[in-house]
Each structure stands twice: as structure tokens, then as C-alpha cells.
Amino acid sequence: MTVIESTPAATGTTDVCAAAPPSHPRPDGQDRYTISEVAAWTGLTAHTLRWYERIGLMPHVDRSATGQRRFTNRDLDWLTLVGKLRLTGMPVAAMVRYAELVRAGDHTFDERRELLETTRRDVLARIAELHETLAVLDYKIDIYTGARPAPERAAR
Amino acid sequence: MTVIESTPAATGTTDVCAAAPPSHPRPDGQDRYTISEVAAWTGLTAHTLRWYERIGLMPHVDRSATGQRRFTNRDLDWLTLVGKLRLTGMPVAAMVRYAELVRAGDHTFDERRELLETTRRDVLARIAELHETLAVLDYKIDIYTGARPAPERAAR
DNA sequence: CGCTTGCTTCGAGTGCGCTCGAAGGTCCTA
DNA sequence: TAGGACCTTCGAGCGCACTCGAAGCAAGCG
């Protein structure tokens, strides 16, 4: 599994009404999750979560008195976004860039919007490609389903 | 460029009528392309084409009297299909499996069809995921375009 | 008290899909 | 006959996104 594959956790509800913020395990104020809780929630490994933080893909994560990570609901939201972007095939470096813009403050609003719009265009292009591929697949499946012998010079 | 990215050569005509077989540089019978011609046509490198053959992703490729590869229009068709499948994120190993089935003969028809149908389902799932992502992106772009300050607890 | 569980950091390893370099053979054109 | 483009094989290297192991500290439980 490199990229392209939904996390098992994310495939719960196939609700199309997506824009609503996802509900979280705990209410704001009591949201202090250990790394293993977050790992279970996101489907990522603890190793990967630490790695995300190391490379700057996570906003600064709180620590407990003894130095352990304590994630918040906001962190979960962020990880949800990252998960979506990951599914688009967006390179980690680009996501890190976005995270940096977020950390840099409000004056990067325009740049962030541009980055998102570029990504949006990429996603639309990918969808179009996949539809083309679908057409090819349907064409071949038809051949295999109907006429058993393939036509003269098909790519098999 | 690892996976996910259309070849520059393939982005010529954005014709939606995809099912028609692509026209080839030379008519059948005089179709004997060198590796560099095929490289130019597909956008792959000669190295990659040889590698495809090595790992069993190409059907057997003809040779000239002196042992050089000579590709046919059928090979180009095959490479077009492989290119499409590659765009879906299908692992090379699965494509090799399909190629093996083709080589194995007509009694693998059913298995090939199943493989294609599984792939088809995967592609549909990917498209659905991308639409979800699109919704998230639109939501965020709206925030950045309209209200300049982000709402209370957005994932930024 | 010892045990388990789970956390920490650091750095090395893995799998995929290419990608490239080296060393040498062949074809074509002038 | 010389030059250069282009081909061959083999094997090593690379970039990405993780993935894992080791060594050690800390909390909680019977």
C-alpha cells in the first residue's frame, strides 16, 4: 500500500453530504487523545503519525506533563483533510507546503486558496482520466462477455 | 513521476469517443517500430519499455535479424491499455498477471473478464472518493474566497 | 515488586516503479 | 572507412511514502 487506497476507518458511512464536519469521539475541551487512539481512529500507524509530525505535515501537537503526544479534535480534522488530499495523489511535499502556509499566518490566505484550486483542477482531471479508463474497461468487458473470440487485432 | 499522471503524448485529442481503436503511425503489415519510436509515441522511456518486457508486462516482442526489438501496432494497442490501467493505480503485478492470462490462451477468458470487472469496481470507487475530496476542497475554497477569517475550529 | 502496555527518539530498511550508467554491438550516411 | 546515432544486456541506484526495530523511560495493576 503506497498511496491510493481508502483507510479502513474512513469507509464507514457513504453519505454524500460531506461538507459537515465529522463528529469526534470526545467533545471539545476533553479532547486529548493518545497516539494509539489517533492511530485507531485514522487507520494510520503510530509510526506514521510521528513521521508526519517530523516532516512538518502536522501542526504543533500538544504534549502531556511527561512529554507524550496529546492530539485534539482539531488535529483529527487536519488528519481527515490530509487523508483526503493523500487520496488525490497529492505528494506529501505539497501537503507540507500547505501546512507551512497555515502555520505562517493569515497573510497566506490567497496562496492557500490557489494551492487548493490547483489541487481541485488536478482532481477534476484525474476524474476525467478515470472515466476514459472506465470506457476502455467496459469495451473490453463487453468483448469478453459477449463474443468469446476476440476481434482480429485487439490489444487483448 | 511515479504513478498518476497522464503521459504527455496521450493528451493530444480530448475526444470523449474513446472506444474506437486509436489510429497508428503505420498501416498493419508495415508496422515495425524501433524502441525509440515507441518511446516517443507512448511517452515512456526505452529503458521502461525494456523493463516492461523483462518483467513480463509485454507480450513477446519481435526482433530484427540483428536482434533489435521491432514493435507492432498490436504492441502499441497493448501499451495504450497498460497506460490506462496504470492511471487507475493498478499495481504492475496485477497487469503482469493479466498479461500472463493473455499468453496462457483462450481458456483464461473468464478469469480475464473477472479481473477487468474487479478493476472496473476499483475505478468506480476511486471516482467516488475523488468526488468526496472535491466536495471538501470546494468547501475550503469557499471559506478562503468568501469570509477571510476561518471559522472557529476548521482544520484550516 | 515485577510485569505489561505504551510511550519516547533515532536511524535503518522496505517495496514500488522506474531510471540510469556502463560496456559493447549494429546500422546508416557521407 | 569513419562517425555518430541507436541498439543490446546487466545490474545498480533513486525517490517516495512509509515501516520497522532498538533502546529506554513512565504509568498502572495484582
Side-chain angles (χ1 to χ4, degrees):
Chain A
M1 191 239 288
T2 305
V3 65
I4 307 179
E5 200 162 291
S6 47
T7 59
T11 328
T13 54
T14 319
D15 197 347
V16 185
C17 176
S23 63
H24 288 305
R26 293 205 268 281
D28 285 358
Q30 290 102 56
D31 55 338
R32 295 179 64 72
Y33 308 96
T34 66
I35 199 168
S36 58
E37 284 176 304
V38 177
W41 195 81
T42 57
L44 300 168
T45 68
H47 272 297
T48 300
L49 287 167
R50 291 185 209 107
W51 178 69
Y52 275 8
E53 192 182 352
R54 244 194 349 267
I55 65 174
L57 187 49
M58 284 295 294
H60 179 76
V61 177
D62 265 15
R63 300 295 162 132
S64 71
T66 53
Q68 298 189 182
R69 287 175 186 78
R70 289 294 177 264
F71 294 79
T72 64
N73 284 334
R74 190 146 121 175
D75 295 328
L76 296 189
D77 288 340
W78 174 259
L79 285 169
T80 303
L81 175 62
V82 165
K84 292 280 184 214
L85 293 179
R86 214 168 43 113
L87 284 178
T88 69
M90 188 188 230
V92 165
M95 293 192 271
V96 169
R97 171 97 190 106
Y98 184 70
E100 279 166 1
L101 290 176
V102 170
R103 276 196 293 277
D106 288 356
H107 65 281
T108 63
F109 265 50
D110 283 350
E111 208 171 335
R112 284 187 238 170
R113 186 179 37 71
E114 272 164 36
L115 201 151
L116 292 178
E117 281 175 353
T118 302
T119 305
R120 192 195 129 87
R121 278 190 290 276
D122 291 348
V123 172
L124 285 175
R126 294 260 321 120
I127 289 174
E129 280 173 356
L130 289 177
H131 276 295
E132 266 184 59
T133 303
L134 211 52
V136 173
L137 286 173
D138 285 342
Y139 175 72
K140 298 217 152 282
I141 289 170
D142 271 5
I143 290 171
Y144 281 122
T145 304
R148 303 305 294 275
E152 296 314 302
R153 201 207 70 221
R156 280 75 158 282
Chain B
M1 190 237 289
T2 306
V3 67
I4 307 177
E5 201 162 294
S6 47
T7 59
T11 329
T13 56
T14 319
D15 197 346
V16 186
C17 177
S23 63
H24 288 306
R26 292 204 269 281
D28 285 0
Q30 290 101 57
D31 54 338
R32 295 178 64 73
Y33 308 97
T34 65
I35 200 169
S36 60
E37 284 177 302
V38 177
W41 195 80
T42 59
L44 302 168
T45 68
H47 274 297
T48 300
L49 287 168
R50 290 186 208 108
W51 178 70
Y52 276 8
E53 192 182 350
R54 240 189 356 262
I55 64 174
L57 186 50
M58 284 295 293
H60 178 76
V61 176
D62 264 15
R63 301 297 160 129
S64 70
T66 53
Q68 297 190 183
R69 287 174 185 80
R70 288 295 177 266
F71 295 78
T72 64
N73 284 332
R74 191 145 120 178
D75 295 328
L76 297 189
D77 287 342
W78 174 259
L79 285 169
T80 303
L81 175 62
V82 165
K84 292 281 184 214
L85 294 179
R86 214 167 42 112
L87 284 178
T88 69
M90 189 190 227
V92 165
M95 293 192 270
V96 169
R97 171 97 190 106
Y98 183 71
E100 278 165 2
L101 290 175
V102 170
R103 276 196 293 279
D106 288 357
H107 65 281
T108 63
F109 265 49
D110 284 351
E111 209 172 333
R112 285 187 237 170
R113 186 179 37 72
E114 273 164 36
L115 201 152
L116 291 177
E117 279 174 355
T118 303
T119 305
R120 193 195 129 87
R121 278 190 291 277
D122 292 349
V123 171
L124 284 175
R126 292 268 312 126
I127 289 174
E129 279 174 358
L130 288 178
H131 276 295
E132 268 185 58
T133 303
L134 210 52
V136 173
L137 285 174
D138 284 342
Y139 175 72
K140 299 218 152 281
I141 289 170
D142 270 6
I143 291 170
Y144 281 122
T145 303
R148 304 304 295 274
E152 294 315 303
R153 201 208 71 220
R156 280 75 155 284

